[in-house]
Amino acid sequence: MLNSNLIEKLKSIVGPNGYLENADISPAYHHDISGIRTGMPLIVLRPSNTDEVSQILKLCNDVRQPVIPQGGMTGLVSAGT
């Protein structure tokens, strides 16, 4: 479970337009093409460049926080959820 301190640090990396939370997280981020499984994320980070990706991964690695990259949610094995 992400703690609020980590979430705030992640938000600061991507800035106010680089993340989604709560009701702003559309079903596109938590339903795959099969429509069978769902998984609501606590936060969706949308880095705008490789430097932000690097900072996010370093921070998460430092605190041993798993990261789930997401593609187009077109897989049929529910890996994205």
Side-chain angles (χ1 to χ4, degrees):
M1 172 76 72
L2 288 171
N3 68 49
S4 59
N5 185 41
L6 178 57
I7 289 174
E8 291 307 312
K9 288 179 181 179
L10 292 167
K11 287 180 185 180
S12 73
I13 291 170
V14 295
N17 296 319
Y19 65 90
L20 302 171
E21 288 184 292
N22 306 315
D24 291 333
I25 300 174
S26 73
Y29 289 99
H30 54 89
H31 285 85
D32 69 9
I33 197 168
S34 73
I36 297 170
R37 294 195 176 112
T38 65
M40 185 64 161
L42 295 175
I43 189 168
V44 174
L45 300 174
R46 301 185 328 172
S48 61
N49 56 57
T50 56
D51 185 54
E52 289 180 1
V53 173
S54 179
Q55 289 179 59
I56 290 165
L57 293 176
K58 181 180 181 336
L59 176 60
C60 289
N61 183 64
D62 288 348
V63 297
R64 302 184 57 80
Q65 172 62 51
V67 174
I68 302 169
Q70 187 183 65
M73 296 295 281
T74 58
L76 297 176
V77 296
S78 300
T81 57

